[in-house]
Each structure stands twice: as C-alpha cells, then as structure tokens.
C-alpha cells in the first residue's frame, strides 16, 4: 500500500515527536514529525491517549515519542495501521519503554490502557526487538486469548508485579497462571471468563488503576544492583562487551567496603 494521505503531528492535543537517530537520540523528547496512518487508526490512538491522561496520576503528558507509523513494508505499519511508542514525557516523569526492568509496575499500567484500545501490543517481554518500544496495531481484536503469547506474558507480568502474585513469566497459560488469575479476579470483585471481552476490558482497567495507585517504589541499593545485573543480562545478552562490563561491576560489588555498605541494607 502506498503512503496514506492522512497524517498527524499530535494526538489528543499532545505533540508526537520522532526520537531516533539521526533525527534525535532515543529517550530524548525528539523533534516534530509527520506520522502517516489511516484516519480511523489515528482516532483509535487519540482515544487511547485520552484515556491514559485520565487514568494516569501524572495527567496529560507534554510529549509522546514514536519510532514511526506508516512504513513502506509488509505488516500493519505498511497498511497504515501500526504505531511504535517509544516514550511519554510528563513535566515530572519520563516514561521510557526501554526502562521496563527498573519499573515494571508503571510500564504495565500504561500497557493495560493500550490493550483496552488495541488487540496487538508487543513490548519488552515479547522479544528483544521490542525492548525499546511498544508495537501497537489493530490487526487483532481487543480480547484475551490463552494462546496469545504477548497477552499471556502481559497477564503473568501483571500478576507478578502489579498484584504481588508471582507466577512464571513464560507466555504459556497453564494451571499456575490460571489459578493466580482467578484468585486476583476474585480479590478485586470480578468474575466470569477472562476470554469474555467485557471482563477483559474491566480487568485491564483494574490493572492500570492498581499499577498507577501504587506509590513508586523507593528501591534499596541492593535492589538497584539487581536491576543493573538484570539489565546487563537482557540488553547485552549477545554482546561481546557483556563479560567485561560484568567483570568490572563484580570488582565494585565484591569490594570489601561495598559489601560492608550493602550489608547494612539486609
Ligand atoms: Zn511496530
């Protein structure tokens, strides 16, 4: 399909910028840009962000950054029905999708709202290619499916991080995930089949409200260190520099005085 005529430079009144090299570095507020997509898809995006401003404690954002909408290639980007969300900037809060490991709760609160508007949402947990953005398209319906890897990963992560009901986050809907899901649904006063559209939509809203209602955790130094190791592990999995970075970090962590200091937090 050739490029749609329709484009936007803002959504729900908020500027949408491009923040990828060479235009601007990732995780910055980026530069003004024209995002081409079908008009119906733009309206879905606008409704999604409109709801996010209402539910999120930070309210209306100042800038949204995206790695692109229409691209001349196969898939939903090529149909003018795809959007890649990199980051959202509020006056007092930067949300960068790549930072999932350091604050999964807030990330999942945002993802829950996106999932109320779009069937296909691929993020950090899905695979390495989606560590630094949410891929969003309307190629599948807004519904839960036990056989959808991305939906099950999201559910398992929400159970674990938002509701403190830890389950194995493997994308496979088994007994453990099912038991934990229905326990939490019961706890928050919802019942029915998760594959029922109305229940899924209500559960998503509960996930976002619960996530956004939690005070942002003040991490202790040992927890920050664990996050650092996790980030190196996931970000540098295939990198030659991983071993050297870990070695230097280990020298710091294993130092007698560091150990003494870390010991004070146990
Ligand atoms: Zn994409």
């Amino acid at each position: 399909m050739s490029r749609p005529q329709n484009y936007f430079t803002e959504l729900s009144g908020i500027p949408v910028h491009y923040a990828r090299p060479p235009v601007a570095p990732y995780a910055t507020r980026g530069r003004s840009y024209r995002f081409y997509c079908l008009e119906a898809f733009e309206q879905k995006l606008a409704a999604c962000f409109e709801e996010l401003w209402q539910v999120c404690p930070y309210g209306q954002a100042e800038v949204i950054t995206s790695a692109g909408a229409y691209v001349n290639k196969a898939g939903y980007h090529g149909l003018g029905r795809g959007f890649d969300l990199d980051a959202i900037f509020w006056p007092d809060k930067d949300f960068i999708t790549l930072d999932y490991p350091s604050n999964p709760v807030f990330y999942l609160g945002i993802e829950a709202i996106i999932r109320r508007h779009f069937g296909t949402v691929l993020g950090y947990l899905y695979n390495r290619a989606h560590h630094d953005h949410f891929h969003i398209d309307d190629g599948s319906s807004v519904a839960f499916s036990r056989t959808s890897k991305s939906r099950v990963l999201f559910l398992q992560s929400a159970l674990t991080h938002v509701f403190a009901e830890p389950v194995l986050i493997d994308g496979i809907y088994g007994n453990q995930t099912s038991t934990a899901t229905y326990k939490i649904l019961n706890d928050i006063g919802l019942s029915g089949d998760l594959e029922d559209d109305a229940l899924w939509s209500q559960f998503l809203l509960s996930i976002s409200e619960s996530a956004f209602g939690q005070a942002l955790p003040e991490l202790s130094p040992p927890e920050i260190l664990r996050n650092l190791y996790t980030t190196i592990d996931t970000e540098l999995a295939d990198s030659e520099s991983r071993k050297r970075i870990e070695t230097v970090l280990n020298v710091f962590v294993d130092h007698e005085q560091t150990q003494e200091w870390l010991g004070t937090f146990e």
Side-chain angles (χ1 to χ4, degrees), residues 67-69 71 73 76-77 82-85 122 130 133-137:
V71 182
K73 63 174 186 184
Y76 282 88
H77 284 287
F83 181 72
D84 290 336
L85 174 64
L122 307 178
H130 293 87
H133 67 282
F134 278 119
H135 166 86
I136 300 166
D137 73 57

Side-chain angles (χ1 to χ4, degrees), residues 153-218:
L153 286 169
F154 164 75
L155 171 66
Q156 291 171 330
S157 189
L159 291 168
T160 301
H161 297 293
V162 178
F163 295 110
E165 187 71 31
V167 294
L168 187 64
I169 300 171
D170 60 359
I172 298 164
Y173 191 95
N175 282 337
Q176 188 193 40
T177 301
S178 176
T179 304
T181 298
Y182 285 94
K183 177 186 179 297
I184 294 303
L185 283 174
N186 188 56
D187 286 353
I188 60 179
L190 296 175
S191 62
D193 185 338
L194 202 59
E195 293 195 352
D196 174 85
D197 291 358
L199 178 65
W200 175 238
S201 191
Q202 184 58 51
F203 187 37
L204 288 171
L205 188 59
S206 299
I207 292 170
S208 70
E209 287 171 347
S210 180
F212 291 145
Q214 291 173 31
L216 299 179
E218 183 74 16

Side-chain angles (χ1 to χ4, degrees), residues 22-44:
V23 174
Y26 179 78
T28 66
R29 290 185 174 219
R31 294 238 192 123
S32 186
Y33 197 78
R34 288 183 177 185
F35 295 92
Y36 290 85
C37 71
L38 298 185
E39 202 174 337
F41 187 74
E42 179 191 335
Q43 284 165 7
K44 289 181 190 178

Side-chain angles (χ1 to χ4, degrees), residues 49-171:
F49 286 107
E50 190 63 45
E51 182 171 68
L52 182 60
W53 311 149
Q54 285 167 19
V55 180
C56 178
Y58 298 104
Q60 204 169 56
E62 289 180 329
V63 173
I64 297 162
T65 59
S66 167
Y70 172 82
V71 182
N72 186 10
K73 63 174 186 184
Y76 282 88
H77 284 287
L79 296 172
R81 293 165 56 189
F83 181 72
D84 290 336
L85 174 64
D86 282 358
I88 304 173
F89 297 87
W90 285 271
D92 301 318
K93 166 84 177 171
D94 295 355
F95 168 70
I96 314 293
T97 47
L98 186 61
D99 293 341
Y100 168 82
S102 64
N103 194 347
V105 174
F106 192 78
Y107 183 103
L108 294 163
I110 296 207
E111 183 171 354
I113 295 298
I114 298 170
R115 286 187 177 278
R116 279 167 56 81
H117 298 264
F118 297 94
T120 306
V121 183
L122 307 178
Y124 195 96
L125 292 166
Y126 189 70
N127 62 19
R128 199 177 155 70
H130 293 87
H131 277 190
D132 61 2
H133 67 282
F134 278 119
H135 166 86
I136 300 166
D137 73 57
D138 65 356
S140 66
S141 61
V142 177
F144 181 72
S145 162
R146 291 170 177 81
T147 56
S148 162
K149 180 187 164 189
S150 69
R151 289 169 178 81
V152 173
L153 286 169
F154 164 75
L155 171 66
Q156 291 171 330
S157 189
L159 291 168
T160 301
H161 297 293
V162 178
F163 295 110
E165 187 71 31
V167 294
L168 187 64
I169 300 171
D170 60 359

